[in-house]
Structures are given as structure tokens and as C-alpha cells.
Amino acid sequence: MVHSVELTLDAGADAAVRDVWQALAVAGAPSQAAHRSPSNRPHVTVTVSARMSAAVHDDLAPLLGSLPLPCRLGAPIIFGRGPYTLALLVIPSAGLLDLHAQVNRICLPHMESGPLRHAQSGQWTPHVTLARRLGADLLERALAVAGTGTDIEGSFTGLRHWDGDARQEHPIVLPG
């Protein structure tokens, strides 16, 4: 499994993404709505690695001063060559790109093998996942649901470390 550092959304943006998840499920797409774990929530993966030390939590805590950070979720995008992942593009602001660079710099000493290539600066596509393992037969229907033409505006309000080995989330909090 992998470890990642993720940004979470404010309540309004979170609810709007969950509404899209539900609409996809109603349309018959394998949306994130099917995952009932309490840790399953709309998020943006900022960096990811094969392993990451829990000591990263204290080092990331000062970045909480950068939050909330405004965000806008825009057009749907598709990853893969089939089955596909459907997501909403996070329109990258200067503040988001700066936070991304800071997270990677802080996390690097805590990663055994460094960040995976797609999480590195210049390679990263910020997005919020809507559906995974989507067959080509469902793409048109799923895009009709996700591509309403209305952006979701909100803010990033939280930062967490996802430990994929233990399948646990660790919210980043200020020490004390």
C-alpha cells in the first residue's frame, strides 16, 4: 500500500462532491459513494510514497497556518487507459502549488523512496476522485453526471496523513 498526505475540503464543498458521488451511483457508475469507511471523504492527494514516517505529522503541522486555502473544482477529467478513474480537476492556484511544494519538501526526509513520480512538482495533477474502475461503457453516462458545467467553490480546511498499510487516517493537528 501507499502513504499519502491529503487536503480535505470544507463542509460545503465536501457535501457537493458527495452529491456527485451519489448521482454517479444512481446512474449506475462505481462511484466513491460505495465506500462506507468513515475515512472515505473527498480529498486531494498532495504527495504519495511507498512509506512515510509518522514523524512527518509534527513537521507538517506548521502548514495548518496556510489553511483555509480557497479552492475551485472544475471540469471532469479521466485517468487511465481502462478501466478509468473519473475525477474533478482542482484548478491550481499559486497558493495550492506553493503548498504542494512545501508538503513535498517537508515529507521527503520521512519517505523511504521519495514521492511517486506523479506527485512531484511539474508532474502533479490536483484532483478529487469521483469514480474508480469505470468501464468504457459507462464513460458517457458518468461524464454527463459529473460535467454539469458548474464549478464547486470552497476551501481546503484540513490536512491528513493516510497510512495505506494500516488503512488509517491521521489528521494533522497543531502540537499541544
Side-chain angles (χ1 to χ4, degrees):
M1 294 305 284
V2 296
H3 288 242
S4 56
V5 174
E6 303 166 348
L7 285 164
T8 56
L9 301 166
D10 67 62
D14 183 281
V17 171
R18 288 176 190 271
D19 287 346
V20 178
W21 287 0
Q22 189 58 41
L24 286 165
V26 168
S31 86
Q32 292 299 101
H35 301 281
R36 297 295 181 193
S37 168
S39 64
N40 182 46
R41 66 177 47 102
H43 67 274
V44 174
T45 299
V46 183
T47 195
V48 63
S49 180
R51 295 212 180 267
M52 194 178 310
S53 162
V56 75
H57 302 171
D58 287 343
D59 291 350
L60 286 169
L63 294 181
L64 296 173
S66 302
L67 304 179
L69 180 67
C71 70
R72 187 169 50 155
L73 312 182
I77 56 173
I78 300 167
F79 294 107
R81 294 189 174 108
Y84 303 96
T85 296
L86 176 65
L88 291 177
L89 179 67
V90 175
I91 299 166
S93 66
L96 179 59
L97 294 174
D98 181 58
L99 183 64
H100 174 255
Q102 290 182 64
V103 167
N104 270 320
R105 179 184 50 77
I106 290 168
C107 290
L108 189 59
H110 300 281
M111 298 174 167
E112 284 183 10
S113 57
L116 298 182
R117 191 178 80 202
H118 68 274
Q120 296 175 6
S121 294
Q123 302 295 314
W124 181 57
T125 304
H127 64 278
V128 174
T129 300
L130 300 175
R132 289 190 172 95
R133 294 177 286 288
L134 191 62
D137 58 319
L138 293 174
L139 275 178
E140 186 175 354
R141 188 179 329 161
L143 283 169
V145 171
T148 64
T150 303
D151 291 349
I152 296 172
E153 299 209 30
S155 58
F156 296 115
T157 56
L159 195 60
R160 70 178 185 173
H161 167 209
W162 171 252
D163 177 343
D165 295 322
R167 304 191 72 71
Q168 292 181 336
E169 68 174 333
H170 302 279
I172 304 303
V173 296
L174 291 170

